Structures are given as structure tokens and as C-alpha cells.
Amino acid sequence: MKYSLLSCILLLIFSILLPVVTTAQEEIHSEYRVTFVPTYPVSKKVFLTWYLGYVNVPNTNTISYYIGAPLLVAYRPTPFVELELGAFALVNNVKDGIDNTEYRPLAGLKLFLPNNHHLNIFTWTRYELRCFYYDDKNMNNVKNRIRNRTGIEFPLSKNAWAPKTTYAFTDFEFFYTFEKGYFDRFRDRLGFGYVIDKQWRAEMIYHIQLLKSSEDLNPEWTDNIFRLNIKLMLPHKKHEHPAQQHHDMDD
């Protein structure tokens, strides 16, 4: 009952926030993502994670491909602290614009709030160095940003995080771009997941994305993002990943 009540409260908050961010934006783009996040436990504290993604934005005729390159390393000194280091490679094909490639080194810190209720309550901060390379070489540039996501994941089944059970999650993320000098991007997410077995999970996620075109303007609702996310914990003979906390990654 307590998890059902919690999910209802979160859904209510989400529905209240939704009309608040309605803006004069004439066209809200729809973005569709399919992502795959395999993780390998090198030890009880060190994990190697890859990230593969396909993104399609029909409104702007843009297709993007993501890969964690060469990989992402997570170090968990305690069950409640996780340090991350790695990089992304992104290829953006723009039908009516200029194609570009982005290489994005990153470093992050993820903190979990200890509790006895099978909840994942976390705050996740990342620094990203975004290096863009365009077909028109005069447009190459580098940007720096920090992003923070704070959220909660909670089971919807009595046997929490066990195979063949469901869970839900919601979080809020904001982005600060140093070159602009203000918070220019915000995301509100709601998702549902299914624990297939000890290794596989599948998630359906919906994002509302808001952007600020200048510091003086309010954020505008610009994008609906729909994402199918598949997580895989590669087996290891000695080390198993905690059933409650599977690694995640996104762009």
C-alpha cells in the first residue's frame, strides 16, 4: 500500500507540474530514443559500463547515434557513493543542416540516501566537456556544463527488485552551461520498469524538456522525449551487481 500511495503522489505532482510549464512555444518536438546499457562487474566496487543509443527527432530531421567510448568506469567505495569517469562519442546526422560529431569526456558523483524501504533515492552530478566537430571546420567549438539529476526509484511489487516484478521512477534534472552563464536546460522524467531476471531490465521513460534561449526569459517546453531503455548486467563468476541498483547512463 505504501508504494502504491507513493506512486500516486508522484503521478499527482507530475500532472500538476505539466500544465504549469505550458508556454507559447508553437511546436513541441517529439524525440524517440532506444538505448542499451550493458555493465560488467570487475569487482564488488568497480564496474565497466557501455552506452549505445539511437535517437530520432522527426521534426528536425535529425538522427543521432551514441556510444560510450571507449567505456565508462564506475567506482563504488560504499553502497551509497559512486564515482564515474568516461566519455561519449555522438554522431549527429542533420538532413537540413550541418552534420557534426561530439566527443564528450565526463566525470560524475552519485550519492544514494540509505533507507530500509527498498527505495533508490539519489542525487547525480556530472561535469561534461563537450567537443563539437562540424563538416564546416570553422564551426568547431568546445562547451562546458554541469548537470544534476535528483530522483527516486521505487518497487511496485511486494517482492522488491526481484525477477518478474515492476518498479517506477521519477526525477528532475537541470543543466548549467558555463559559456552561457545560466541554467539553460531542464528535464522532468517519469518511467516504469520491469525486472526480467537478475541480468535484464526494460524501462519505458517519458521526459519533458524545457530550454531557456536567454537568461532573462523563462524556460519553454520544447521537447517530449520517449525512451526505451534496456539494461544488462553481464555475468561474472564471483561478483554480482546489487539487485536494487543497476547502473544507468544517458546523454
Side-chain angles (χ1 to χ4, degrees):
M1 286 294 295
K2 59 184 179 182
Y3 294 136
S4 298
L5 178 61
L6 179 59
S7 62
C8 290
I9 292 173
L10 291 171
L11 288 171
L12 178 61
I13 293 173
F14 192 88
S15 65
I16 292 173
L17 289 175
L18 185 61
V20 172
V21 299
T22 302
T23 77
Q25 178 80 10
E26 293 184 0
E27 184 179 21
I28 299 177
H29 296 164
S30 292
E31 182 175 314
Y32 304 94
R33 302 184 179 189
V34 179
T35 53
F36 177 50
V37 186
T39 300
Y40 180 72
V42 177
S43 69
K44 292 182 179 180
K45 295 184 177 181
V46 178
F47 304 88
L48 304 181
T49 299
W50 293 265
Y51 177 73
L52 303 173
Y54 168 83
V55 178
N56 190 339
V57 189
N59 304 66
T60 59
N61 291 317
T62 301
I63 295 179
S64 302
Y65 303 92
Y66 296 79
I67 181 171
L71 49 77
L72 300 146
V73 181
Y75 171 60
R76 190 171 286 176
T78 77
F80 312 113
V81 177
E82 182 174 294
L83 302 171
E84 300 167 341
L85 189 66
F88 282 121
L90 297 78
V91 178
N92 299 305
N93 295 327
V94 186
K95 185 176 181 180
D96 300 321
I98 300 176
D99 294 343
N100 64 85
T101 300
E102 178 186 349
Y103 189 66
R104 187 190 302 177
L106 61 89
L109 171 65
K110 194 172 186 179
L111 303 175
F112 296 90
L113 180 66
N115 66 88
N116 297 318
H117 304 289
H118 305 291
L119 304 176
N120 289 335
I121 304 172
F122 65 89
T123 183
W124 184 13
T125 303
R126 285 172 281 176
Y127 164 75
E128 298 176 329
L129 177 65
R130 308 182 68 195
C131 306
F132 293 90
Y133 305 93
Y134 294 86
D135 289 350
D136 181 352
K137 295 183 179 180
N138 293 324
M139 296 180 62
N140 293 347
N141 60 61
V142 176
K143 297 179 181 179
N144 298 266
R145 77 179 181 189
I146 288 181
R147 56 196 291 184
N148 175 271
R149 176 187 297 173
T150 299
I152 181 172
E153 302 172 346
F154 52 95
L156 297 176
S157 306
K158 184 179 294 186
N159 193 10
W161 308 109
K164 299 182 180 179
T165 61
T166 57
Y167 59 96
F169 52 93
T170 187
D171 53 60
F172 180 77
E173 186 171 25
F174 57 84
F175 301 71
Y176 180 88
T177 299
F178 287 89
E179 287 70 24
K180 294 181 179 179
Y182 60 88
F183 296 96
D184 63 338
R185 185 183 303 257
F186 306 86
R187 287 178 182 168
D188 195 3
R189 298 198 319 163
L190 177 68
F192 294 91
Y194 181 69
V195 182
I196 301 171
D197 54 32
K198 290 184 178 181
Q199 296 178 314
W200 291 91
R201 291 188 187 186
E203 298 175 340
M204 290 298 301
I205 309 171
Y206 168 63
H207 311 61
I208 292 176
Q209 179 164 270
L210 295 87
L211 299 178
K212 287 185 67 172
S213 55
S214 76
E215 188 174 9
D216 299 330
L217 297 177
N218 292 325
E220 290 190 342
W221 181 5
T222 58
D223 301 273
N224 293 316
I225 304 174
F226 303 91
R227 177 183 176 193
L228 170 62
N229 188 39
I230 305 297
K231 296 179 180 179
L232 169 63
M233 175 54 63
L234 295 167
H236 190 286
K237 292 182 179 180
K238 295 183 179 180
H239 309 296
E240 290 188 7
H241 192 71
Q244 184 170 331
Q245 297 174 358
H246 267 224
H247 284 270
D248 196 14
M249 188 56 62
D250 66 357
D251 61 290

